[in-house]
Amino acid sequence: MAEHLSQSELDYPFKLLEYINGFRVSKVIFSACELGVFDLLLKSQEALSAQHVAQELGSNVDGMERLLDALVGIEILEVEKTDGTALYSSTDVANLYLAKGSAKSLHDMIIYQSQTIYPLWNNMVDAIREGKNQNEKTFGLPSEDVFQALYRSEEEMKKFMGLMNSSWVLDGHDIVTAFNLSCFQRIVDLGGCTGALAHEIAKAYPSSSVTVFDLPKVVEAAQKYFWQENDAVAFQTGDFFSGEIPGADLYVLARIIHDWPEEKCLTLLKKIYDTCKPGAGVLLVEAMLFENRRGPVMAQIFSLNMLVQAEGRERPPSKYTHMLNKTGFQDVQVCRTGKSYDAILAIR
């Protein structure tokens, strides 16, 4: 491996140190979100001093100043000096993605990463040694029931749903337009959670009916916390593993297949195949690995997350094609969006 490194990197490992300290950078952003820094700066009509920010958010002035300076260092905030006082303001990126009030806010995703994923990853060594998730060691919950851990309380369920909502607000449009889905009149998003991806489908294909199918408690929480006025999306309760699934022309499985081992995925896909009619389709949405498994890095990291949190993995296109073909689906098409998630369409 050493022969691929430049001499400057061998003399001093800048890139390696950047990676080693990556968790600290994440925690800077996580902490600022949890404290409400970006929301305060967005609401303010002027740049604020560290003392002002600390007073408003009930924190130590020295600690806040260090946090704000670090955010300036990673180019998420800006600073200017007026009469010897440092005054901080948000960048456009912070206002768009880090403040709660923005239409493209990733705030809920960040809170989930900080309060759930981060503690799980602290037990990554054990996950690799044991080959199983670390829900028991991290949260004291059985490792066999993944969604009991995810939905261990209404507050935790809301956090997870916020994560999924943020994901589809960010990537949903690219996913639903990866293929022309206008020929499918009845679309069911299995495990559609908050309905964020379903809303993107409804916007892109207004002549299609779109239904989210999820567990009763998830549907209840979605309608309680994430309901949108003039909602074009319907909700239906059920369990796609243990109960019947509604009829549809297209079934969407977004970040579902990656949760489970292959045999469980095959069971679900065969159930969908047996339910739908010829010409119907299934749309898988996943972060696909390259065939040689050498990237993309984000998909590799997501796959490690499936090890530490769930029972599944991320896969290359050939693995999804194999599972779809094995359960009867044909004409498999793959679209890499160039973003976090990719799309696979197959027809019965």
Side-chain angles (χ1 to χ4, degrees):
M1 179 178 172
E3 64 267 25
H4 299 300
L5 297 175
S6 66
Q7 187 59 49
S8 62
E9 189 71 11
L10 289 172
D11 290 339
Y12 195 86
F14 289 102
K15 181 63 73 175
L16 184 59
L17 289 172
E18 181 183 335
Y19 292 155
I20 289 169
N21 284 289
F23 78 98
R24 302 176 198 258
V25 176
S26 297
K27 263 302 184 182
V28 166
I29 299 170
F30 294 170
S31 300
C33 275
E34 292 186 61
L35 288 165
V37 170
F38 304 114
D39 304 305
L40 177 63
L41 291 176
L42 177 60
K43 291 173 185 174
S44 175
Q45 298 299 308
E46 56 187 7
L48 303 177
S49 67
Q51 183 173 0
H52 187 135
V53 175
Q55 183 177 352
E56 289 290 325
L57 300 180
S59 65
N60 174 267
V61 176
D62 177 53
M64 180 57 69
E65 185 173 46
R66 298 187 203 200
L67 177 65
L68 295 174
D69 284 340
L71 289 164
V72 171
I74 59 176
E75 300 181 351
I76 288 178
L77 295 185
E78 296 174 341
V79 66
E80 59 183 22
K81 276 207 168 184
T82 302
D83 298 328
T85 300
L87 299 175
Y88 301 88
S89 58
S90 279
T91 59
D92 290 340
V93 166
N95 285 335
L96 185 60
Y97 292 112
L98 299 178
K100 283 184 192 177
S102 167
K104 289 192 174 183
S105 176
L106 301 180
H107 182 271
D108 287 348
M109 176 189 289
I110 289 165
I111 296 301
Y112 190 80
Q113 299 276 16
S114 180
Q115 297 179 0
T116 300
I117 302 298
Y118 195 91
L120 279 164
W121 276 63
N122 197 43
N123 293 312
M124 178 59 73
V125 170
D126 290 324
I128 293 167
R129 283 178 176 151
E130 300 165 9
K132 68 177 186 179
N133 69 60
Q134 296 298 301
N135 289 316
E136 185 171 0
K137 188 166 292 182
T138 309
F139 304 117
L141 295 166
S143 60
E144 296 78 17
D145 192 337
V146 172
F147 279 85
Q148 181 183 337
L150 289 174
Y151 300 155
R152 58 191 180 274
S153 69
E154 183 172 345
E155 184 59 31
E156 290 303 319
M157 181 168 63
K158 183 182 173 185
K159 287 180 189 176
F160 175 75
M161 294 175 75
L163 163 75
M164 298 307 296
N165 202 67
S166 294
S167 297
W168 303 132
V169 166
L170 189 64
D171 289 299
H173 178 75
D174 292 298
I175 289 299
V176 304
T177 57
F179 304 102
N180 184 354
L181 306 178
S182 60
C183 60
F184 301 109
Q185 292 303 300
R186 295 177 303 157
I187 301 175
V188 173
D189 187 354
L190 295 173
C193 203
T194 67
L197 185 60
H199 285 112
E200 293 297 328
I201 297 171
K203 282 191 287 186
Y205 307 101
S207 63
S208 298
S209 68
V210 185
T211 301
V212 170
F213 183 83
D214 216 317
L215 298 170
K217 61 184 178 181
V218 175
V219 169
E220 182 182 354
Q223 294 175 326
K224 181 178 179 180
Y225 297 113
F226 299 96
W227 182 82
Q228 296 186 16
E229 194 172 355
N230 300 320
D231 209 329
V233 173
F235 284 83
Q236 184 173 341
T237 62
D239 185 325
F240 51 63
F241 277 121
S242 63
E244 294 185 0
I245 56 177
D249 301 313
L250 178 70
Y251 293 93
V252 179
L253 290 168
R255 304 295 278 155
I256 301 294
I257 295 297
H258 79 144
D259 285 333
W260 311 107
E262 184 168 322
E263 283 308 310
K264 199 160 185 176
C265 296
L266 290 171
T267 298
L268 177 56
L269 290 172
K270 185 63 167 63
K271 187 173 187 176
I272 294 170
Y273 180 85
D274 290 341
T275 302
C276 65
K277 296 178 180 179
V282 60
L283 179 71
L284 307 185
V285 182
E286 300 290 355
M288 289 190 294
L289 292 164
F290 296 144
E291 287 297 340
N292 64 7
R293 307 173 72 86
R294 298 296 176 258
V297 173
M298 190 59 67
Q300 293 169 322
I301 290 172
F302 283 165
S303 198
L304 276 172
N305 195 70
M306 289 300 98
L307 173 64
V308 80
Q309 188 176 24
E311 296 179 2
R313 61 175 62 241
E314 309 301 344
R315 300 172 172 93
S318 61
K319 288 292 185 182
Y320 293 110
T321 300
H322 165 75
M323 287 191 286
L324 288 162
N325 288 160
K326 190 170 183 178
T327 51
F329 289 98
Q330 302 298 322
D331 189 24
V332 179
Q333 303 173 64
V334 175
C335 178
R336 289 193 179 273
T337 66
K339 306 287 180 63
S340 295
Y341 303 111
D342 306 304
I344 306 165
L345 179 65
I347 306 299
R348 187 191 192 285

